[in-house]
Amino acid sequence: MRGLGFRLLVLALAAAAAAEVEARFVVEKNSLMVTSPTTLRGRHDSAIGNFGIPQYGGSMAGAVVYPKANTDACDSFDGGGKEHIFRNNPGALPSFLLIDRRNCLFAKKVWNAQNAGASAVLVVDDKDEPLITMDLPREDDEAAKYIQNITIPSALIDKKFGEQLKKAVKDGEMVNVNLDWREAVPHPDDRVEYELWTNSNDECGPKCDMLIHFLNEFKGAAQLLEKGGYSQFTPHYITWYCPKAFIVSKQCKSQCINHGRYCAPDPEQDFSTGYEGKDVVVENLRQLCVFNVANEIKRPWIWWDYVTDFHIRCRMKDKNYSKTCAETVIKSLGLDTKKVDRCMGDPNADSDHPLLKTEQDTQIGKGSRGDVTILPTLVVNNRQYRGKLERKAVLKAICAGFEETTEPNVCLSDDMETNECLSDNGGCWQDRAANVTACRDTFRGRVCECPTFNGVQFKGDGYSNCEAAGPGKCLINHGGCWHETRNGKTFSACQESGDGECTCPAGFQGDGVKKCQDIDECKEKKACQCLECSCRDTWGGYECTCSQDLLYIKEHDTCISKTTVQAKAAWAAVCGVLVALVVLAVGSYLVYKYRLRSYMDSEIRAIMAQYMPLDGQAEVSNYSDEDHQ
């Protein structure tokens, strides 16, 4: 029964939305032109699939192929052991695989066709009905593995037209078609207006992961278009309201704010654990207010920095999905948190919220755009984008919204490198004194990462903190520790070895980070305390002198006579010479004894050899006598 209450509430929310306005889903179409055979020549509608990569702003010609087996493409095409059986030969038209709708998911059909070498897919509807949009499966972890890798375009065609194409192919006709996406996105003026219906929830599975990846990947292009005045971007967030009959229920209270007026599903679909739907609504509202506040100061592109940084630093998985974490990100981007708070208002108020009320009204389709019911949804020039939410594909769709020859350079080149670190260091950590920054500019926009500078590795979150670590860290601004120079002499609390903490050097006391204060060894009687001593404190140390003709010995903190020291030194020298002579004499005697003994041994052996034959000689003599007898 887990999640039953959640599903019932979702049904109630959907029913309430339907009661307010009849849903109107508009299918985005491209034109399909048959160029041969002549009996089928002409234009036909086809509904663009909501995955893959449609060629917005362009067209593609191909030859239609209808498989002899596996006509619904629900199984992989083995091709008798040959890979890519539908791949076109050099010089031939690309293969457009014609397949039946029937069983299995649309995305799986296209995936199998792509693996077999098809350049595009035409799915024939099995019902006489208006065209629908082929969408991604709602919850299918297995499908999610290949959906992200679909790169070919696909479209649904009606049953009657599909049967005509199949018959022509079976009859041996050469069926050539042209898919045209050039008018899929209108271009009424020299500026493209587009909007993204998104969500701050990061626990909804593959779709959330896909959205977060897209936000990070597309940020650089979006900000470049916005800063150049080529586009006008607006973020939107879907909310539902809770029916009056359920407002006092536990489910509505956990998923809604403003007394059931604005709701979002529970992230884990479990009311007993984790974050609640109302947490998502509040963060969605905060992101709307961040956009509004940034727009007021003529910097609306900061919204992209906020949402990408928020997903990095304030994830639900890390239990950081909170107001505190969000405000840290807002401050790092130089926005006024008080303005954001005023914009958000009181989530417990029993009244309409102007921003969220507008969002609910905007969900209703107008003109050529249908109702927004799917997350995420991208709308370009009031037309819903169909295809993979991927940087190049989306950029191509946006660029298709410009009149030909009026598109910006970003549409003509992949070189989109910008230097966001030049403006307020990109909101990242920096040490001005050492000229070190965590801001790194990339194709996707700036990234806050603690750097490696002059061979020294910095560690931290890259946004508010980076600290030098490891060998050489004291070379970089003394490792962030206290340091001071006076009269050409420098003291530092940075320690190359040990646990890395800042420790005041000898002669100082303090926390080692902000302050190290000189110790007065004379006043505190820590040195130079003998009767004949005279102490004077210095910065980082002390000077100790002795009265009359005495000499101060620091190791023993005492004064002794200079003549005594000289006498001791002379006796030490004499003793050293005597010890050296003794060692030399003993060594010479040992060498003499060794050589004498060696000489005596050799003489004795020579004499004995003349009177006593060796064992070997005796054996030879005996052997000869026996042989003689």
Side-chain angles (χ1 to χ4, degrees), residues 115-428:
N115 285 341
S119 298
V121 173
L122 299 176
V123 180
V124 181
D125 203 347
D126 56 0
K127 301 175 183 177
D128 289 317
E129 61 179 359
L131 291 175
I132 63 171
T133 297
M134 299 186 296
D135 195 17
L136 301 175
R138 293 292 179 269
E139 296 293 338
D140 192 324
D141 293 336
E142 182 181 355
K145 297 176 184 178
Y146 54 75
I147 285 171
Q148 288 300 306
N149 296 314
I150 295 177
T151 58
I152 63 175
S154 59
L156 182 73
I157 59 177
D158 63 53
K159 182 179 180 181
K160 181 179 178 181
F161 175 51
E163 293 298 331
Q164 291 174 337
L165 289 179
K166 285 193 285 186
K167 184 178 184 302
V169 172
K170 289 178 180 178
D171 291 343
E173 298 273 9
M174 179 181 288
V175 181
N176 293 339
V177 301
N178 189 39
L179 291 173
D180 193 341
W181 293 272
R182 285 177 293 185
E183 297 301 324
V185 178
H187 32 75
D189 52 34
D190 59 355
R191 185 182 71 176
V192 172
E193 299 177 4
Y194 70 106
E195 56 195 53
L196 177 65
W197 290 83
T198 180
N199 196 358
S200 63
N201 179 9
D202 59 16
E203 283 289 303
C204 62
K207 281 203 172 184
C208 279
D209 296 338
M210 175 187 67
L211 175 60
I212 293 171
H213 177 74
F214 169 73
L215 290 172
N216 283 281
E217 190 181 44
F218 194 69
K219 182 178 73 170
Q223 292 182 327
L224 193 63
L225 287 168
E226 200 77 6
K227 291 176 182 179
Y230 302 113
S231 67
Q232 179 178 314
F233 168 74
T234 308
H236 288 294
Y237 296 82
I238 292 180
T239 61
W240 295 270
Y241 67 86
C242 186
K244 291 183 178 180
F246 293 91
I247 287 178
V248 296
S249 67
K250 177 183 177 181
Q251 290 81 2
C252 271
K253 287 183 177 180
S254 68
Q255 295 189 104
C256 308
I257 66 173
N258 292 87
H259 288 250
R261 287 176 173 84
Y262 314 107
C263 313
D266 187 275
E268 302 87 6
Q269 299 189 15
D270 186 350
F271 295 113
S272 62
T273 185
Y275 290 97
E276 298 177 321
K278 65 181 181 183
D279 296 324
V280 176
V281 181
V282 169
E283 178 54 35
N284 289 347
L285 176 57
R286 181 177 289 109
Q287 295 187 5
L288 280 172
C289 288
V290 165
F291 177 78
N292 281 9
V293 172
N295 204 26
E296 288 178 3
I297 59 175
K298 308 300 181 183
R299 297 171 62 194
W301 51 83
I302 292 181
W303 178 88
W304 291 89
D305 289 320
Y306 175 78
V307 294
T308 52
D309 287 358
F310 182 85
H311 284 309
I312 293 172
R313 305 174 69 180
C314 310
R315 300 190 306 171
M316 289 182 176
K317 294 178 182 178
D318 299 332
K319 308 301 182 186
N320 286 333
Y321 190 87
S322 65
K323 178 182 179 181
T324 302
C325 184
E327 288 186 342
T328 302
V329 179
I330 292 172
K331 290 177 182 177
S332 72
L333 298 175
L335 296 179
D336 191 337
T337 56
K338 293 182 179 179
K339 284 187 177 181
V340 174
D341 285 341
R342 286 196 296 269
C343 170
M344 293 180 66
D346 182 9
N348 297 315
D350 187 5
S351 59
D352 288 335
H353 191 287
L355 268 184
L356 295 178
K357 184 66 169 64
T358 301
E359 291 297 288
Q360 284 186 343
D361 294 340
T362 308
Q363 287 174 219
I364 302 170
K366 296 178 181 178
S368 60
R369 198 212 77 189
D371 295 345
V372 178
T373 58
I374 301 172
L375 280 176
T377 291
L378 182 72
V379 178
V380 182
N381 281 353
N382 211 37
R383 293 283 181 87
Q384 289 192 23
Y385 165 84
R386 299 298 181 202
K388 185 178 180 181
L389 205 62
E390 182 262 346
R391 188 192 67 84
K392 286 188 176 181
V394 170
L395 184 59
K396 184 176 289 187
I398 291 175
C399 291
F402 293 101
E403 287 276 7
E404 193 171 355
T405 73
T406 66
E407 63 272 351
N409 290 334
V410 67
C411 296
L412 306 175
S413 171
D414 284 338
D415 185 13
M416 295 173 55
E417 190 79 18
T418 59
N419 196 345
E420 298 176 48
C421 296
L422 296 179
S423 178
D424 296 327
N425 201 54
C428 304

Side-chain angles (χ1 to χ4, degrees), residues 6 32 76 103 124 174 186 205 215 245 275 284 304 341 369 387 413 470 474 492 494 510 546 565 581-582 619 627:
F6 169 79
L32 188 155
S76 59
N103 306 312
V124 181
M174 179 181 288
L215 290 172
Y275 290 97
N284 289 347
W304 291 89
D341 285 341
R369 198 212 77 189
S413 171
C474 293
S492 173
C494 184
C546 298
V565 173
L581 291 174
V582 170
E619 290 175 0
D627 186 55

Side-chain angles (χ1 to χ4, degrees), residues 9-47:
L9 182 56
V10 169
L11 290 174
L13 294 173
E20 181 177 340
V21 60
E22 183 179 354
R24 190 174 63 86
F25 188 81
V26 175
V27 176
E28 306 302 329
K29 301 177 182 179
N30 66 293
S31 179
L32 188 155
M33 169 68 78
V34 178
T35 56
S36 69
T38 55
T39 55
L40 295 177
R41 184 177 295 171
R43 291 184 179 276
H44 301 266
D45 283 336
S46 60

Side-chain angles (χ1 to χ4, degrees), residues 526-547:
K526 291 187 175 181
C528 197
Q529 297 300 306
C530 58
L531 295 176
E532 303 85 0
C533 293
S534 177
C535 186
R536 185 176 71 86
D537 183 65
T538 61
W539 185 63
Y542 63 93
E543 288 182 0
C544 190
T545 56
C546 298
S547 60

